[in-house]
Amino acid sequence: MSTLEIKDLHVSIDTEQGSKPILKGVSLTINTGEIHAIMGPNGSGKSTLASTIAGHPRYTVNSGSITLDGEDVLTMSVDERARAGLFLAMQYPVEVPGVTMTNFLRTAKTALDGEAPSLRHWTKDVKAAMGQLRIDADFAQRNVNEGFSGGEKKRVEILQLELFHPKFAILDETDSGLDVDALKVVSEGVNREHSKGAMGTLLITHYTRILRYIKPDHVHVFVDGRIAEQGGAELADRLEEEGYDRFMPSETAAVQA
């Protein structure tokens, strides 16, 4: 079993008005085999947490720690974090002109494992994973995400997840922009990889619809850079019914209403 541990994490971002604190003391422990859902209103710090774990240079860690099996994640470069077993499915996957899907996937797998995968087995694995995710075989020769729809980009993120086998997957609003069919396909991919028992999942979302397909063990509510409440899957159902108003200052809730 592997453990990703976040302790009293404070993170800020530089703006024209100066440094702006975003995360204000987040503590969270995730073990492989667990699914943790993070929910909360816009601007609450959910995506900041994901980006900080992955090592985005825009964010400054002011205090606190992130460790993976006791190793200090914050001292690792982005590629070192990936090799250690951290995977981020981005909210807005970027296009990579000039790099085909085939070259990207095999190069990334080689970098992660330290050796190139057997071409015969690798080709078979890629074809099988693409088929399960309903990605057309022609996409293997297209440039990464170039001209892809939003749903196609999200399927490619999960394709990487299933081929790279990370210890921990951080899924940053993977459900955004997906229709019902695409949501089911993406969720099935996450569940397939999770069912192997060697991956922990941190699922960031606004809505409960993806939680109908990916069942969380724990739900954490983010408000103003902090975890305001924690519970099991039933907490997500309560949020669906009540929204986030009860966590917000009265004047903020009134404005949003």
Side-chain angles (χ1 to χ4, degrees):
M1 183 180 73
S2 289
T3 301
L4 179 65
E5 189 170 17
I6 301 161
K7 286 186 177 180
D8 197 23
L9 189 66
H10 291 252
V11 174
S12 63
I13 188 171
D14 289 331
T15 69
E16 293 180 357
Q17 291 73 40
S19 180
K20 177 183 178 181
I22 301 179
L23 299 184
K24 305 172 183 178
V26 173
S27 295
L28 183 65
T29 300
I30 309 168
N31 297 309
T32 48
E34 298 177 347
I35 297 176
H36 291 246
I38 291 183
M39 304 183 70
N42 285 326
S44 58
K46 304 183 302 297
S47 291
T48 295
L49 177 62
S51 296
T52 302
I53 294 172
H56 196 297
R58 186 184 181 195
Y59 299 95
T60 299
V61 177
N62 303 111
S63 62
S65 64
I66 304 175
T67 57
L68 174 55
D69 294 334
E71 297 294 323
D72 187 357
V73 170
L74 297 178
T75 63
M76 300 179 187
S77 62
V78 173
D79 60 303
E80 288 172 336
R81 297 182 197 207
R83 286 196 295 271
L86 297 177
F87 175 88
L88 173 63
M90 293 184 285
Q91 183 176 355
Y92 304 107
V94 298
E95 297 183 1
V96 188
V99 179
T100 65
M101 287 286 300
T102 296
N103 287 338
F104 166 71
L105 291 171
R106 194 160 191 263
T107 300
K109 182 66 171 175
T110 300
L112 289 170
D113 294 352
E115 60 181 3
S118 163
L119 189 58
R120 181 167 62 89
H121 290 99
W122 175 248
T123 301
K124 181 180 177 181
D125 290 344
V126 171
K127 286 182 177 179
M130 289 180 69
Q132 289 178 313
L133 288 165
R134 302 181 194 175
I135 300 173
D136 193 290
D138 292 343
F139 276 57
Q141 301 308 318
R142 292 178 60 177
N143 293 336
V144 178
N145 289 329
E146 192 171 37
F148 292 14
S149 69
E152 289 165 346
K153 290 179 180 180
K154 295 300 178 74
R155 293 187 197 201
V156 168
E157 293 288 283
I158 304 307
L159 173 65
Q160 296 169 50
L161 174 72
E162 292 202 74
L163 292 172
F164 299 162
H165 309 302
K167 292 180 181 178
F168 292 95
I170 300 101
L171 310 180
D172 188 8
E173 296 194 31
T174 299
D175 54 335
S176 65
L178 298 183
D179 60 27
V180 174
D181 291 334
L183 180 63
K184 290 180 180 178
V185 170
V186 164
S187 298
E188 287 167 359
V190 175
N191 287 330
R192 274 193 301 273
E193 188 62 27
H194 189 81
S195 68
K196 298 172 184 176
M199 182 180 79
T201 302
L202 183 62
L203 175 61
I204 296 170
T205 183
H206 283 294
Y207 309 107
T208 59
R209 64 177 193 150
I210 194 172
L211 303 183
R212 298 169 191 162
Y213 305 105
I214 302 175
K215 301 297 184 182
D217 301 297
H218 307 275
V219 175
H220 313 271
V221 182
F222 261 47
V223 177
D224 191 29
R226 300 179 176 89
I227 296 177
E229 188 170 340
Q230 304 182 83
E234 72 284 348
L235 178 55
D237 295 331
R238 185 179 177 188
L239 291 172
E240 178 78 2
E241 295 176 1
E242 302 177 359
Y244 299 108
D245 283 355
R246 65 192 176 92
F247 298 105
M248 310 295 283
S250 56
E251 62 273 16
T252 302
V255 169
Q256 290 188 344

